[in-house]
Amino acid sequence: YMAKHGKRPLMFTLEMTREQIMENIIAQELGLCHRDMINGELTEQDNSRLQRGLKMFSDLNVGVLDGRWTTNEIRHQLITEIRTKGADCLMIDSLGKTKLPPGMSKTGELHKIYNVICEELVDIAVEMHIPVLLAHHLNRDSQRRGRDGRPTLGSLREAGEQWAHNVILIHRPYLITQDEEDKDSADFIIVKARDGEVGTVELGFRGPSKTFYNIEEHREPPRAMAGAYQN
């Protein structure tokens, strides 16, 4: 979306390869089944769509770097990218795969490690005047979730969430209920927003293309969540 509007997003993918990320983006944008695309099982019609789409993507300025990086290495690479190709947004996937800062051990307390990493990312955002989007896996411990199994801010405890301006949790009810009526829906739960309201936005979800979409063209403002944290 950013690239199509003249901006250059820069993503550090620490869990997947660059090729896998680009395959996901292409499948999402063209509405193709990701599994069929990588297995070479697309229909003739979808193959034609893919060829037309690849031509469009070759003109988009999207930066994707894979591997394992410390925050300091990310900072230096970001400076290089800004000077040579530009960067308007920094995305990192994910916090748990970021290389440990020098002097820190894997045997140390996770919340201390994550706090250091997140604080350094905040410093990068301020220094470079660039927004930073950081992904992280939710804690699956049922004690850290609500009674209905929905994640809460507690699902991110000890993950440096206090450094974030905004925190959004993605929840698919179907994975808990196994109800077919929930299969094509997903909740984006805004549990922290320094400059806005907290609440839940329900979106549609297409599994084959891993795509989220608006269920309705017009929607009321997200409802406030009881007990949600907000500065």
Side-chain angles (χ1 to χ4, degrees):
Y1 178 86
M2 291 181 64
K4 286 191 290 187
H5 287 77
K7 303 294 184 180
R8 183 174 189 261
L10 178 62
M11 180 180 186
F12 286 80
T13 167
L14 313 180
E15 289 194 319
M16 303 170 68
T17 65
R18 181 184 185 279
E19 290 72 23
Q20 288 172 323
I21 291 294
M22 297 307 295
E23 287 169 356
N24 272 286
I25 293 175
I26 291 170
Q28 290 166 359
E29 285 296 310
L30 301 180
L32 300 174
C33 175
H34 179 258
R35 182 181 60 190
D36 289 348
M37 189 179 79
I38 62 176
N39 289 337
E41 297 175 355
L42 292 176
T43 64
E44 186 175 338
Q45 183 180 6
D46 284 343
N47 258 318
S48 298
R49 235 163 77 212
L50 175 61
Q51 296 307 315
R52 293 194 300 271
L54 289 176
K55 191 172 182 180
M56 176 189 73
F57 278 101
S58 64
D59 297 328
L60 292 182
N61 195 1
V62 178
V64 181
L65 300 171
D66 52 19
R68 296 293 300 276
W69 305 72
T70 64
T71 50
N72 195 44
E73 291 170 339
I74 289 174
R75 176 183 174 275
H76 285 296
Q77 185 62 39
L78 175 61
I79 292 173
T80 300
E81 294 285 332
I82 290 175
R83 288 175 177 172
T84 57
K85 302 176 183 177
D88 297 292
C89 177
L90 174 62
M91 304 177 183
I92 300 172
D93 183 23
S94 65
L95 172 61
K97 295 296 183 179
T98 307
K99 281 175 63 176
L100 298 185
M104 299 201 80
S105 168
K106 289 183 179 179
T107 58
E109 296 179 73
L110 271 182
H111 74 278
K112 292 183 179 179
I113 294 172
Y114 289 158
N115 275 336
V116 169
I117 293 173
C118 290
E119 185 177 6
E120 290 178 348
L121 290 175
V122 170
D123 290 341
I124 291 174
V126 173
E127 178 188 358
M128 302 296 173
H129 301 285
I130 190 170
V132 176
L133 278 68
L134 175 64
H136 186 57
H137 295 291
L138 290 171
N139 191 311
R140 297 183 181 179
D141 187 346
S142 60
Q143 295 181 351
R144 291 178 178 262
R145 293 175 175 259
R147 293 180 181 177
D148 56 358
R150 289 163 58 88
T152 66
L153 190 63
S155 305
L156 274 181
R157 289 298 179 196
E158 302 181 352
E161 74 286 344
Q162 69 267 29
W163 295 102
H165 282 219
N166 305 288
V167 176
I168 302 176
L169 311 178
I170 302 177
H171 173 60
R172 290 190 60 211
Y174 174 73
L175 299 180
I176 295 177
T177 66
Q178 295 297 301
D179 188 335
E180 288 296 317
E181 291 186 2
D182 295 330
K183 193 169 186 178
D184 297 326
S185 66
D187 292 337
F188 275 52
I189 309 168
I190 306 166
V191 292
K192 181 178 178 182
R194 288 192 177 177
D195 301 308
E197 297 182 7
V198 295
T200 298
V201 177
E202 184 183 352
L203 296 177
F205 178 72
R206 294 189 183 96
S209 59
K210 304 179 183 179
T211 306
F212 297 99
Y213 61 92
N214 291 327
I215 296 176
E216 302 169 6
E217 291 184 6
H218 304 286
R219 175 177 296 280
E220 294 296 321
R223 64 184 183 276
M225 289 177 57
Y229 174 85
Q230 182 179 17
N231 275 3

